[in-house]
Amino acid sequence: MLNLVLFGPPGAGKGTQSQKLIEKYGLIHLSTGDLLRSEITQGTPLGLEAKKLMDQGVLVPDEVVIGMISTKLDANKDAKGFIFDGFPRTVAQAEALDSLLEAKKAPIAGMIALEVTDAELEHRLLLRGKDSGRPDDANPEVIRKRVKEYNDKTAPVAGYYKSQHKFNSINGMGTIEEIFHSIEEIIKGYLQ
Ligand code: AP5
Ligand code: MG
């Protein structure tokens, strides 16, 4: 089993690269952002609560996303591996993920962090906000709040994986293909 965490600030390209990775390596993509937006679309109570926070650019509570990930892991028992995208976003989430995977004897192989400048993040998200329908993309203030949440609460998760010697950082600026190539180079090491 190959379990990877794709890491980086809002707009770094986690979802874009995950799509290419699942095609090439046959892994299951678990994006907590996508799972939450699906709850919103279905109008569930969880979705309604989450929407209030997501529209402001702040994180939803740890228990909510940990519960969603736990359900998805149970529902995909025969998976070749998982790409975690937008999760874990706090150290508490990282610890919970380790416990869930310990039960499966399939720990995280590594984290791959996409490094992108703040100016490029804002540019990408505002561009997408023109037609994505995502309220959190449309407003520069909300985008800055998302980046601040990342710096305050999520950036420390990199240290968590550094201490386990599982951290890799790559340049997230450039074309989608160039970035994918850098990720493939890291994955080659894990598949040996
Ligand atoms: P989430 O959905 O995870 O959003 P995010 O991480 O803030 O940002 P994105 O998903 O928009 O960025 P991305 O890195 O996937 O980039 P993408 O490939 O889309 O979270 C949304 C909200 O949900 C959070 O704010 C929070 O409230 C809540 N939430 C989610 N998970 C949570 C958790 N674990 N705990 C608590 N709360 C949670 O690319 C962005 C754009 O750039 C696209 O238009 C793309 O086409 C373009 N692009 C991609 N690559 C390139 C490139 N190389 N060059 C030019 N453009 C590019
Ligand atoms: Mg995403």
Side-chain angles (χ1 to χ4, degrees):
M1 215 178 182
L2 178 66
N3 291 324
L4 297 168
V5 174
L6 203 49
F7 191 69
K14 305 181 294 292
T16 304
Q17 296 296 333
S18 292
Q19 219 43 54
K20 295 177 70 67
L21 289 167
I22 58 170
E23 279 164 30
K24 169 139 188 187
Y25 298 101
L27 305 171
I28 305 258
H29 180 204
L30 291 184
S31 155
T32 40
D34 289 350
L35 294 171
L36 289 166
R37 280 185 290 278
S38 152
E39 296 280 339
I40 294 175
T41 308
Q42 293 168 54
T44 66
L46 189 159
L48 292 175
E49 276 310 304
K51 181 174 167 45
K52 291 181 206 157
L53 298 166
M54 292 167 75
D55 285 357
Q56 296 168 50
V58 298
L59 296 185
V60 306
D62 287 338
E63 320 73 87
V64 172
V65 286
I66 293 166
M68 290 193 316
I69 290 288
S70 173
T71 305
K72 286 288 170 186
L73 291 177
D74 287 343
N76 291 282
K77 286 203 183 331
D78 298 325
K80 285 167 72 179
F82 296 93
I83 300 198
F84 297 93
D85 158 4
F87 180 91
R89 247 174 161 101
T90 61
V91 172
Q93 291 178 23
E95 288 168 350
L97 180 60
D98 274 354
S99 309
L100 290 171
L101 292 176
E102 199 176 284
K104 297 186 168 294
K105 304 264 176 280
I108 292 293
M111 162 182 271
I112 302 174
L114 302 170
E115 309 286 347
V116 177
T117 61
D118 285 0
E120 172 70 8
L121 298 174
E122 191 168 328
H123 170 75
R124 288 183 190 176
L125 294 177
L126 282 174
L127 193 67
R128 182 175 62 187
K130 286 182 185 166
D131 54 14
S132 70
R134 268 181 67 166
D136 60 344
D137 280 348
N139 177 337
E141 249 171 65
V142 175
I143 291 176
R144 279 182 219 125
K145 181 67 192 173
R146 285 162 66 193
V147 173
K148 186 173 185 317
E149 282 280 278
Y150 173 83
N151 289 330
D152 292 349
K153 299 177 184 162
T154 305
V157 178
Y160 181 85
Y161 288 95
K162 277 179 195 161
S163 70
Q164 296 187 5
H165 309 290
K166 291 177 177 174
F167 180 81
N168 306 273
S169 152
I170 63 164
N171 183 2
M173 309 278 285
T175 68
I176 290 168
E177 281 307 321
E178 282 164 352
I179 297 160
F180 185 60
H181 183 70
S182 307
I183 297 176
E184 283 179 299
E185 289 300 310
I186 292 171
I187 293 182
K188 269 185 206 160
Y190 289 127
L191 291 175
Q192 268 165 18

Coordinates of all heavy atoms in Angstrom, one line a residue, residues 9-16 32-33 36-37 54 58-60 65 86-87 89 93 120 124-125 128 134 136 146 174-176 179, ligand 1:
P9 N -0.3 25.2 0.7 CA -1.3 26.2 1.0 C -2.5 26.2 -0.1 O -2.4 25.5 -1.1 CB -0.6 27.5 0.9 CG 0.6 27.2 0.0 CD 1.0 25.8 0.3
P10 N -3.6 26.9 0.2 CA -4.7 27.0 -0.7 C -4.2 27.4 -2.1 O -3.6 28.5 -2.2 CB -5.6 28.1 -0.1 CG -5.2 28.1 1.3 CD -3.8 27.7 1.4
G11 N -4.6 26.7 -3.1 CA -4.2 27.1 -4.5 C -2.9 26.5 -4.9 O -2.4 26.8 -6.0
A12 N -2.2 25.7 -4.1 CA -0.9 25.2 -4.4 C -0.9 24.2 -5.5 O 0.1 24.0 -6.1 CB -0.2 24.6 -3.1
G13 N -2.1 23.6 -5.8 CA -2.2 22.6 -6.9 C -2.3 21.2 -6.4 O -2.2 20.2 -7.1
K14 N -2.8 21.0 -5.1 CA -2.9 19.7 -4.5 C -4.0 18.9 -5.3 O -3.8 17.7 -5.7 CB -3.4 19.8 -3.0 CG -2.4 20.6 -2.2 CD -2.9 20.7 -0.7 CE -4.2 21.4 -0.5 NZ -4.1 22.9 -0.7
G15 N -5.1 19.5 -5.6 CA -6.2 18.8 -6.3 C -5.8 18.5 -7.7 O -6.0 17.4 -8.2
T16 N -5.2 19.4 -8.4 CA -4.7 19.2 -9.8 C -3.8 18.1 -9.9 O -3.9 17.2 -10.7 CB -4.0 20.5 -10.2 OG1 -4.9 21.6 -10.1 CG2 -3.6 20.5 -11.7
T32 N -10.5 16.3 1.8 CA -11.5 16.7 2.8 C -12.3 17.9 2.2 O -13.5 18.0 2.5 CB -10.9 17.0 4.2 OG1 -9.7 17.7 4.0 CG2 -10.7 15.7 4.9
G33 N -11.7 18.8 1.5 CA -12.4 19.9 0.9 C -13.5 19.4 0.0 O -14.7 19.9 0.0
L36 N -16.3 17.8 1.9 CA -17.2 18.8 2.6 C -18.1 19.5 1.6 O -19.3 19.7 1.9 CB -16.3 19.9 3.3 CG -15.6 19.4 4.6 CD1 -14.5 20.4 5.0 CD2 -16.5 19.2 5.7
R37 N -17.5 19.8 0.4 CA -18.4 20.5 -0.6 C -19.5 19.5 -1.1 O -20.6 20.0 -1.4 CB -17.5 20.9 -1.8 CG -16.8 22.3 -1.5 CD -16.1 22.8 -2.7 NE -14.9 22.0 -3.0 CZ -13.7 22.2 -2.4 NH1 -13.5 23.1 -1.5 NH2 -12.7 21.4 -2.7
M54 N -16.4 27.5 6.0 CA -15.6 27.5 4.7 C -15.8 28.8 4.0 O -14.8 29.3 3.4 CB -16.1 26.3 3.9 CG -15.7 24.9 4.5 SD -16.5 23.6 3.7 CE -15.6 23.5 2.1
V58 N -12.1 29.7 7.2 CA -11.5 29.1 8.4 C -11.7 27.6 8.5 O -12.6 27.1 7.8 CB -12.0 29.8 9.8 CG1 -11.7 31.2 9.8 CG2 -13.5 29.6 9.9
L59 N -10.9 26.9 9.2 CA -11.0 25.4 9.3 C -12.3 25.0 10.0 O -12.7 25.6 10.9 CB -9.8 24.9 10.0 CG -8.4 25.1 9.4 CD1 -7.3 24.4 10.2 CD2 -8.3 24.7 7.9
V60 N -12.8 23.8 9.5 CA -13.9 23.2 10.3 C -13.3 22.3 11.4 O -12.0 22.1 11.4 CB -14.8 22.3 9.3 CG1 -15.2 23.1 8.1 CG2 -14.0 21.1 8.8
V65 N -13.6 16.3 10.2 CA -12.9 15.8 9.0 C -12.3 14.5 9.4 O -12.2 13.6 8.5 CB -11.8 16.8 8.6 CG1 -12.4 18.0 7.8 CG2 -10.9 17.3 9.7
G86 N -5.3 18.1 1.4 CA -6.0 19.0 2.3 C -6.3 18.4 3.6 O -7.1 19.0 4.4
F87 N -5.7 17.3 3.9 CA -5.8 16.6 5.2 C -4.5 15.8 5.4 O -4.0 15.2 4.4 CB -7.0 15.6 5.2 CG -7.1 14.8 6.5 CD1 -7.9 15.4 7.5 CD2 -6.5 13.6 6.7 CE1 -8.1 14.6 8.7 CE2 -6.6 12.9 7.9 CZ -7.4 13.4 8.9
R89 N -4.6 18.8 8.3 CA -4.4 20.3 8.3 C -4.1 20.8 9.7 O -3.9 22.0 9.8 CB -5.7 20.9 7.8 CG -5.6 21.6 6.5 CD -7.0 22.1 6.1 NE -7.1 23.1 5.2 CZ -7.4 22.9 3.9 NH1 -7.6 21.7 3.4 NH2 -7.5 23.9 3.1
Q93 N -5.0 16.4 13.6 CA -5.5 15.5 12.5 C -4.4 14.6 12.1 O -4.6 13.4 11.7 CB -5.9 16.4 11.3 CG -7.1 17.2 11.5 CD -7.5 18.1 10.4 OE1 -7.1 17.9 9.2 NE2 -8.3 19.2 10.6
E120 N 1.3 34.2 -6.2 CA 0.8 33.2 -7.2 C -0.5 32.5 -6.7 O -1.4 32.2 -7.4 CB 1.9 32.2 -7.5 CG 1.5 31.0 -8.4 CD 1.2 31.3 -9.9 OE1 1.4 32.5 -10.3 OE2 0.7 30.4 -10.6
R124 N -4.0 32.5 -8.7 CA -4.6 31.3 -9.2 C -6.1 31.2 -8.6 O -7.0 30.9 -9.4 CB -3.9 30.0 -8.7 CG -2.6 29.8 -9.4 CD -2.0 28.5 -8.9 NE -0.6 28.3 -9.4 CZ 0.2 27.3 -9.0 NH1 -0.3 26.4 -8.2 NH2 1.4 27.2 -9.5
L125 N -6.2 31.5 -7.4 CA -7.6 31.4 -6.8 C -8.6 32.4 -7.2 O -9.7 32.1 -7.5 CB -7.5 31.4 -5.2 CG -6.7 30.2 -4.6 CD1 -6.5 30.3 -3.1 CD2 -7.3 28.9 -5.0
R128 N -9.6 31.3 -10.7 CA -10.6 30.2 -10.6 C -12.0 30.8 -10.1 O -13.0 30.3 -10.5 CB -10.1 29.1 -9.7 CG -11.2 28.0 -9.7 CD -10.7 26.8 -9.0 NE -10.4 27.1 -7.6 CZ -9.9 26.2 -6.7 NH1 -9.5 25.0 -7.1 NH2 -9.7 26.6 -5.5
R134 N -17.1 28.7 -6.2 CA -16.7 28.5 -4.8 C -16.6 29.9 -4.1 O -15.8 30.7 -4.5 CB -15.3 27.9 -4.8 CG -15.3 26.4 -4.7 CD -13.9 25.7 -4.6 NE -13.2 26.0 -3.4 CZ -12.1 25.4 -3.0 NH1 -11.6 24.5 -3.8 NH2 -11.5 25.7 -1.9
D136 N -15.4 30.8 -1.5 CA -14.1 31.1 -0.8 C -13.0 31.5 -1.8 O -11.9 31.9 -1.4 CB -13.7 30.0 0.1 CG -13.4 28.6 -0.6 OD1 -13.9 28.5 -1.7 OD2 -12.8 27.8 0.0
R146 N -7.7 32.3 4.3 CA -7.3 30.9 4.1 C -5.8 30.7 4.2 O -5.4 29.7 4.8 CB -7.8 30.4 2.8 CG -9.3 30.2 2.7 CD -9.9 30.1 1.3 NE -9.4 29.0 0.5 CZ -9.5 28.9 -0.8 NH1 -10.1 29.8 -1.5 NH2 -9.1 27.8 -1.4
G174 N 5.5 26.7 -11.9 CA 5.9 26.1 -13.2 C 4.6 25.5 -13.8 O 3.5 25.7 -13.3
T175 N 4.8 24.7 -14.8 CA 3.7 24.1 -15.5 C 3.2 22.9 -14.7 O 4.0 22.3 -13.9 CB 4.0 23.6 -16.9 OG1 4.9 22.5 -16.8 CG2 4.6 24.7 -17.8
I176 N 2.0 22.5 -14.9 CA 1.4 21.3 -14.2 C 2.2 20.1 -14.5 O 2.5 19.3 -13.6 CB -0.1 21.1 -14.6 CG1 -0.9 22.3 -14.0 CG2 -0.6 19.8 -14.2 CD1 -2.3 22.4 -14.6
I179 N 5.6 20.1 -12.5 CA 5.4 19.8 -11.1 C 5.1 18.3 -10.9 O 5.7 17.6 -10.0 CB 4.3 20.7 -10.6 CG1 4.7 22.2 -10.7 CG2 4.0 20.3 -9.1 CD1 3.6 23.1 -10.6
Ligands
AP5_1 P1 -9.8 22.8 0.3 O1 -10.9 22.4 -0.7 O2 -8.9 21.8 0.7 O3 -9.2 24.1 -0.3 P2 -7.7 24.7 -0.2 O4 -6.6 23.8 0.2 O5 -7.9 25.9 0.6 O6 -7.4 25.1 -1.6 P3 -7.7 24.5 -3.0 O7 -8.3 23.1 -2.9 O8 -8.4 25.5 -3.7 O9 -6.2 24.4 -3.6 P4 -5.4 23.2 -4.2 O10 -4.0 23.1 -3.6 O11 -6.2 21.9 -4.3 O12 -5.2 23.7 -5.7 P5 -5.9 23.3 -7.1 O13 -5.3 22.1 -7.7 O14 -7.3 23.4 -6.8 O15 -10.5 23.4 1.6 C1 -11.6 24.3 1.5 C2 -12.1 24.6 2.9 O16 -12.6 23.4 3.5 C3 -11.0 25.1 4.0 O17 -10.9 26.5 3.9 C4 -11.7 24.6 5.3 O18 -12.7 25.5 5.7 C5 -12.3 23.3 4.9 N1 -11.4 22.1 5.1 C6 -11.0 21.3 4.1 N2 -10.2 20.3 4.6 C7 -10.1 20.6 6.0 C8 -9.4 20.0 7.0 N3 -8.7 18.9 6.9 N4 -9.6 20.5 8.3 C9 -10.4 21.6 8.5 N5 -11.0 22.2 7.5 C10 -10.9 21.7 6.3 O19 -5.5 24.6 -8.0 C11 -5.9 25.9 -7.7 C12 -6.1 26.6 -9.0 O20 -4.8 26.8 -9.6 C13 -7.0 25.9 -10.0 O21 -7.7 26.8 -10.8 C14 -5.9 25.2 -10.9 O22 -6.4 25.0 -12.2 C15 -4.8 26.2 -10.9 N6 -3.5 25.5 -11.0 C16 -3.0 24.4 -10.5 N7 -1.8 24.1 -10.8 C17 -1.3 25.2 -11.5 C18 -0.1 25.5 -12.1 N8 1.0 24.7 -12.1 N9 0.0 26.7 -12.8 C19 -1.1 27.5 -12.9 N10 -2.3 27.3 -12.4 C20 -2.4 26.1 -11.7

